Amino acid sequence: MSDDRNTPSQELTQAELSELLQIRRDKLTSLCEGGLDPFLKTGFKKDTLAEDIKARFEDLEGAEVSIAGRVMSKRDMGKASFCDLQDASGRIQLYVRRDAIGDEAYALFKKYDISDIIGVKGEVFRTQKGEISVKAASVELLAKSLRPLPEKFHGLRDPDLRYRQRYVDLIMNPDVKKTFEIRSRVVREMRRWLDDRGFMEVETPVLNTIPGGAAARPFVTHHNTLGIDMYLRIATELHLKRLIVGGMEKVYEIGRIFRNEGMSVKHNPEFTTIELYEAYADYQDIMCLTENLIAHICEAVCGTTEISYGGEAVSLRAPFARMTMAEAVRKYTGLDFMTITSDEEARKAVKDLGIHFDAAKNPTWGELLYLCFDEKAESELVGPVFITQHPIEVSPLAKKNPDDPRLTDRFELFVTRRELANAFSELNDPIDQKERFMRQAELRALGDEEASMMDDDFICALEYGMPPTGGLGIGIDRLVMLLTDSPSIRDVLLFPTMKPQE
C-alpha cells in the first residue's frame, strides 16, 4: 500500500490506518538505521518566510534563502520534483532537482512523506509558469510525521474533530489561524488603548477561598497543605475593588474565568474576560469608555466599524444606543413595569403575558422585570445597545439608582442578541453590601448554587473607604466571535473544553 497519496485519515478503516502508520514507522526505522534520526535535530537556521519571499520577490530574486516548514504536497517528475512547503506565513513551491542536491539526498527526499517537516536552502526564482519558487540546493529532514494528514481537497471539516485536534485544524485550514491572529490583535489593542489612558494591568488570584464577584457555580478543588477547599475564580471583581480601596485608581486584568455551568455556542467552562475599574467614575462614564474602546478595537482590527455578523449588518461606531430594561420590556411586550406598584400586580401582569415562573417562590417586581427581559426582549437586541437600570435583586454589587431604589446604576451591552459587556457604578457602602451578601447567603442556603457567599474581608476593605467607582467586564471570546463572524465560542478558543472520547 503506497503512502505517496494524501489519504483522508478520518475516513480510513482501522486496518488501512494501521498499515499507513506502520509504513511511516518503517521509514523512520530505516532512516535511523542509516544514521539519520530526524528527531535528533536540534534546530535549523532559517532567514525568511514563504510570504516574505512572495512579497519581496523583486529584491530576493536570485538570492539564497533558508526556509523551513511542513511538506503539504509532492509531485515527482523523475529527476526533479515539485513540493509545496507550508510555514507560519503561508505556502511556497520548492523545486528539487537530483543534480542540484545529489543522488543520495534526492533518493532520501523522494521517500519523505506529506506532513514531514524539512529545512531547505536554495535560490529564489520564478518558474516558466510564473510561480514564485525556491530552487533547492539542500534539503534536510527535521521531523518525521508518523500520521497522515486529512485529504488535501477536503481538509478537516468535522467540527468535533477540528476542536479536538486543533493542531491538525491549523495545518489544514489556513483561515482558522487568521481568527486567532485577530484574537491576539484584539487583546493587544485593548491593552494599548487602556495603557495610554493611565490604566495599570494587574494580576489577582485564580484560586480563592470564596467565589465572589458574579452569580455563578464555581469549580471546587482542595489545597492539601492548608487542608481547605478552594474555588477557581468566577470573576476578578472583588480583588480589583480591593486595589481601588488601596489607592490604585485605574486598574484592569485580562484573564481566565472558570464557571461550572452549561455549555453552548456562547458558553465554555473557562473563558477570558477583561475587568477594569476606575475611581471617581460612574456607569455613565464607563458607557462612554466601553463604546470608544470597542469602536477603536473594531477599527484597528477590521479596518472599519461597519461589520457583518451572521448575515446581519452591525455598526460599532460610537455612540451606541441606550435603553432602560423597563423600556426594552415595554417595547417588545407592551408591558410597562414602571406603572406597576406591587409585587402581586407584577406577578399577575407577567402571568397574563404567558411567561412561566415559580409562584411558590413569590418573585419580586425586580425579579419579574428581569425575567420578562430575559424571555422576551434580549433575543430582539441586534444592537449595539446599552440596557441600563437593572433590578437590585440581580445586581448585588451595583449602586442603587438614586431616583428608584428598586433599580441600580448598571448596564449590559448587547450586540447580535448576546451580552458583550457588564458594568455598573460600584456599590461602596459596606453596610448595604453586607445586607446584600446576607440575602445572597440565604438564597445559597436554600439551594441556589449560583448565589454569592459572604465575603467578610471584602466588607472590611469597603469599611476603610472606597471612592465612587465605575467598573466594567467584557467577554473577550464573544468580542472575537463578533469581529471574526464566528458562530460558536469554540471557534475562537484554541482548545475548547470537550468531553473525552471513549
Side-chain angles (χ1 to χ4, degrees):
M1 182 176 184
S2 173
D3 192 26
D4 293 334
R5 59 192 177 90
N6 266 348
T7 308
S9 58
Q10 68 270 38
E11 297 176 3
L12 294 171
T13 67
Q14 188 61 44
E16 290 172 328
L17 178 58
S18 296
E19 185 177 352
L20 286 177
L21 295 178
Q22 189 59 53
I23 288 171
R24 294 200 175 204
R25 279 159 177 74
D26 290 344
K27 288 183 179 180
L28 176 61
T29 299
S30 177
L31 287 169
C32 292
E33 289 174 348
L36 295 173
D37 186 345
F39 298 122
L40 293 179
K41 303 292 183 183
T42 57
F44 182 82
K45 301 295 183 183
K46 62 177 187 175
D47 56 23
T48 190
L49 294 170
E51 290 303 312
D52 292 338
I53 293 173
K54 295 177 181 179
R56 300 173 50 226
F57 175 73
E58 292 184 0
D59 297 328
L60 292 177
E61 186 176 13
E64 292 290 325
V65 295
S66 177
I67 61 175
R70 190 179 299 275
V71 176
M72 298 303 294
S73 71
K74 286 176 66 183
R75 301 174 295 284
D76 185 6
M77 312 286 289
K79 296 181 179 181
S81 297
F82 287 96
C83 166
D84 284 335
L85 180 140
Q86 178 172 292
D87 64 16
S89 68
R91 294 191 186 188
I92 192 164
Q93 179 175 266
L94 306 179
Y95 179 54
V96 185
R97 290 183 57 88
R98 186 176 69 182
D99 58 4
I101 67 171
D103 292 345
E104 185 177 350
Y106 188 69
L108 280 173
F109 171 77
K110 291 185 69 174
K111 295 180 180 179
Y112 295 165
D113 291 311
I114 305 301
S115 193
D116 285 354
I117 296 173
I118 61 175
V120 178
K121 295 180 181 179
E123 176 187 336
V124 176
F125 80 113
R126 192 189 293 273
T127 66
Q128 291 182 347
K129 293 184 177 180
E131 184 169 354
I132 296 172
S133 307
V134 174
K135 185 185 300 181
S138 67
V139 180
E140 185 176 354
L141 181 63
L142 304 179
K144 180 68 184 161
S145 171
L146 300 180
R147 185 174 290 270
L149 290 173
E151 201 273 326
K152 65 182 179 180
F153 297 110
H154 299 98
L156 190 64
R157 292 291 177 261
D158 176 21
D160 185 77
L161 192 59
R162 286 182 53 220
Y163 300 144
R164 290 184 186 280
Q165 297 185 355
R166 183 67 83 187
Y167 39 90
V168 182
D169 190 27
L170 290 166
I171 294 169
M172 300 304 299
N173 300 319
D175 287 344
V176 172
K177 185 180 178 184
K178 292 179 183 178
T179 295
F180 293 102
E181 289 173 345
I182 290 174
R183 182 184 179 111
S184 178
R185 290 176 60 194
V186 166
V187 175
R188 187 164 63 247
E189 285 297 328
M190 188 175 284
R191 280 195 169 101
R192 187 173 69 81
W193 194 90
L194 290 170
D195 291 347
D196 288 348
R197 284 154 183 79
F199 283 84
M200 183 171 75
E201 184 173 10
V202 297
E203 293 179 319
T204 62
V206 172
L207 283 175
N208 293 283
T209 54
I210 296 173
R217 182 180 179 182
F219 286 95
V220 185
T221 186
H222 187 79
H223 193 292
N224 292 331
T225 301
L226 295 178
I228 59 172
D229 283 344
M230 300 190 76
Y231 305 89
L232 296 180
R233 67 184 179 191
I234 58 174
T236 55
E237 179 167 343
L238 300 188
H239 281 97
L240 292 175
K241 286 181 181 178
R242 287 173 168 92
L243 299 181
I244 295 290
V245 171
M248 294 184 175
E249 295 185 355
K250 289 184 174 183
V251 295
Y252 73 92
E253 180 171 11
I254 298 173
R256 285 290 210 188
I257 302 299
F258 306 87
R259 296 182 182 176
N260 195 357
E261 299 175 339
M263 297 174 64
S264 72
V265 294
K266 299 186 293 182
H267 300 93
N268 193 69
E270 57 176 312
F271 56 98
T272 304
T273 68
I274 177 172
E275 284 199 40
L276 65 85
Y277 293 85
E278 180 177 358
Y280 309 107
D282 63 16
Y283 83 117
Q284 298 281 357
D285 298 318
I286 299 299
M287 259 193 280
C288 294
L289 180 152
T290 302
E291 61 194 2
N292 287 318
L293 170 61
I294 290 176
H296 165 77
I297 291 171
C298 186
E299 181 77 41
V301 172
C302 301
T304 177
T305 54
E306 310 304 312
I307 63 172
S308 174
Y309 185 83
E312 290 183 305
V314 178
S315 175
L316 293 178
R317 182 187 300 274
F320 300 163
R322 284 132 165 93
M323 188 186 307
T324 70
M325 185 173 285
E327 288 171 343
V329 169
R330 184 180 66 204
K331 179 176 181 179
Y332 296 110
T333 70
L335 177 59
D336 188 354
F337 263 79
M338 302 312 291
T339 65
I340 297 175
T341 58
S342 70
D343 295 341
E344 185 177 351
E345 185 182 350
R347 292 174 201 135
K348 182 180 184 305
V350 172
K351 185 176 181 180
D352 290 343
L353 277 179
I355 297 176
H356 174 75
F357 59 88
D358 188 349
K361 292 184 177 180
N362 294 319
T364 64
W365 177 92
E367 289 169 336
L368 292 166
L369 169 59
Y370 183 78
L371 177 64
C372 284
F373 172 78
D374 186 56
E375 293 268 336
K376 298 294 186 181
E378 183 175 327
S379 61
E380 303 291 337
L381 302 176
V382 177
V385 56
F386 291 115
I387 299 297
T388 66
Q389 297 185 17
H390 294 225
I392 194 169
E393 291 91 335
V394 295
S395 311
L397 297 164
K399 188 168 284 192
K400 290 179 183 177
N401 183 279
D403 299 321
D404 190 335
R406 299 175 299 177
L407 303 172
T408 59
D409 284 348
R410 174 185 176 187
F411 73 76
E412 287 180 325
L413 173 62
F414 286 87
V415 188
T416 63
R417 304 172 183 84
R418 292 171 179 168
E419 176 200 340
L420 185 62
N422 182 31
F424 30 85
S425 296
E426 304 297 333
L427 179 61
N428 61 345
D429 179 346
I431 297 173
D432 188 358
Q433 182 65 83
K434 186 170 184 177
E435 291 173 352
R436 297 198 205 180
F437 274 157
M438 290 174 67
R439 171 59 179 157
Q440 289 288 304
E442 290 172 0
L443 294 173
R444 191 173 187 86
L446 293 173
D448 185 350
E449 294 182 330
E450 295 187 355
S452 301
M453 295 182 183
M454 175 63 70
D455 190 334
D456 290 316
D457 182 74
F458 181 64
I459 298 298
C460 179
L462 292 184
E463 288 175 345
Y464 279 98
M466 186 176 85
T469 298
L472 168 68
I474 298 176
I476 290 177
D477 309 297
R478 291 188 183 182
L479 178 58
V480 176
M481 286 173 64
L482 177 65
L483 298 184
T484 58
D485 196 10
S486 297
S488 171
I489 192 171
R490 293 183 175 188
D491 295 323
V492 300
L493 297 173
L494 279 169
F495 301 103
T497 303
M498 304 289 290
K499 185 177 180 179
Q501 290 179 310
E502 295 182 1

